Amino acid sequence: MKKNRQPLIIGALISAALIISIFVVVYYKNNQVNVASDEQQSVTEANKKDTSVTDKPATDDATKPIEQPEQQPDENGYLPNQTLPTEPTYIDGILLANKIYPLPSTFAPDVNPEASQALEKMLAAAKQQKGFDLVAFSGYRSFEYQTTLYNNYVNRDGQAAADRYSARPGYSEHQTGLAFDIGERGKDDLWLTEEFGETPAGKWLVENAQEYGFILRFPQNKEDITGYMYESWHFRYVGIDIAKEIKKKNITLEEYLGVK
């Protein structure tokens, strides 16, 4: 009888071992699935946090809403007792320099390379298309040079008159390195005059400057906005797309930027 029971006992032990093995395997797999699920959830949460930070729009000086001055300009267009800033003003990436938003006295970028290349293309096109021999007779001006120039005009014409056509030190577009006074060679007597705008060369510039990224900075009948009298010779580089939009809408840089 004992011999007959031995196979049964062995079979029972084997069956028990198999059941225990199956239980262990199932437990192990379930535990691994739970661990994997926890890890995946952690990764998902981390990704959500990273995405929220990444998707948050960056804010810098070029995108911040511009603060409008609280004071009212004086009779010459300047804010009373205004001090020069420590940083230049950029609005939507565009450098602005006018009677309300001046430049630091230390701002000295020299001629902007991109603007210089665009200027060369424009002058070459005028020569090739129409035979106009145009020249930029004034470009970048340092703070120190503008000081001397402005003081000379004040001594000659008085401050009120000078303020209509010459910027005070720190307020000049020429200090940005993006502005150029343009005239026609051989017609120097028309340089810095409204009459230049009536010449074929002056008219060509007004009609075509936007194709090279330039705008007529101080157009006619806009002195109450720009702060300066009509200057048929003063062109400012802003880039082709922006120049075309300003030309199409027949507006000033101040109006385009929403500061006037």
Side-chain angles (χ1 to χ4, degrees):
M1 290 294 293
K2 290 183 178 179
K3 291 182 178 180
N4 292 334
R5 288 180 179 178
Q6 188 172 7
L8 294 176
I9 294 172
I10 293 173
L13 291 174
I14 293 174
S15 298
L18 288 173
I19 293 172
I20 293 172
S21 298
I22 292 171
F23 176 79
V24 170
V25 170
V26 171
Y27 175 81
Y28 176 77
K29 286 184 176 180
N30 288 339
N31 188 57
Q32 290 296 101
V33 169
N34 291 335
V35 171
S37 178
D38 291 342
E39 290 179 351
Q40 180 63 36
Q41 185 176 359
S42 298
V43 171
T44 302
E45 292 298 323
N47 286 340
K48 286 182 179 178
K49 292 180 181 180
D50 291 343
T51 301
S52 65
V53 173
T54 303
D55 290 346
K56 185 178 180 181
T59 302
D60 54 28
D61 291 339
T63 58
K64 285 180 181 177
I66 191 68
E67 294 183 2
Q68 299 290 348
E70 296 180 358
Q71 285 182 305
Q72 291 299 314
D74 60 21
E75 63 276 9
N76 295 327
Y78 291 93
L79 297 179
N81 305 314
Q82 185 179 26
T83 57
L84 297 182
T86 57
E87 297 291 338
T89 298
Y90 288 88
I91 304 177
D92 295 332
I94 300 176
L95 178 58
L96 179 62
N98 63 14
K99 289 183 175 181
I100 305 299
Y101 300 99
L103 301 167
S105 61
T106 55
F107 187 70
D110 211 328
V111 178
N112 180 278
E114 183 179 335
S116 180
Q117 291 178 6
L119 175 69
E120 291 179 6
K121 290 181 180 179
M122 182 169 68
L123 301 187
K127 183 74 171 179
Q128 183 179 11
Q129 295 176 18
K130 296 293 184 178
F132 300 136
D133 191 7
L134 298 175
V135 59
F137 57 84
S138 181
Y140 169 74
R141 297 177 195 159
S142 67
F143 177 87
E144 290 74 20
Y145 181 77
Q146 187 67 29
T147 300
T148 300
L149 192 64
Y150 175 77
N151 288 339
N152 288 340
Y153 288 139
V154 170
N155 292 334
R156 186 188 70 184
D157 299 327
Q159 187 174 57
D163 280 340
R164 292 190 62 207
Y165 63 82
S166 180
R168 295 178 183 179
Y171 295 79
S172 174
E173 268 213 330
H174 285 279
Q175 192 182 338
T176 68
L178 296 164
F180 303 90
D181 292 338
I182 301 175
E184 189 173 6
R185 293 185 193 274
K187 298 182 180 180
D188 303 20
D189 56 321
L190 297 179
W191 289 8
L192 300 176
T193 69
E194 294 185 5
E195 286 72 23
F196 171 69
E198 301 303 316
T199 66
K203 291 179 179 179
W204 184 92
L205 270 177
V206 171
E207 292 303 317
N208 295 276
Q210 72 277 358
E211 301 297 331
Y212 305 92
F214 288 91
I215 60 171
L216 180 66
R217 184 64 178 90
F218 306 120
Q220 287 179 307
N221 305 317
K222 296 285 188 175
E223 185 173 350
D224 61 322
I225 297 175
T226 65
Y228 297 99
M229 59 187 289
Y230 168 50
E231 293 189 355
S232 64
W233 59 90
H234 184 117
F235 288 82
R236 157 72 192 265
Y237 183 77
V238 293
I240 294 175
D241 292 340
I242 295 173
K244 286 184 176 181
E245 185 171 353
I246 289 176
K247 174 66 175 178
K248 181 180 179 180
K249 294 181 177 179
N250 191 30
I251 58 177
T252 64
L253 183 59
E254 281 80 8
E255 291 170 302
Y256 175 81
L257 297 176
V259 296
K260 264 297 188 181

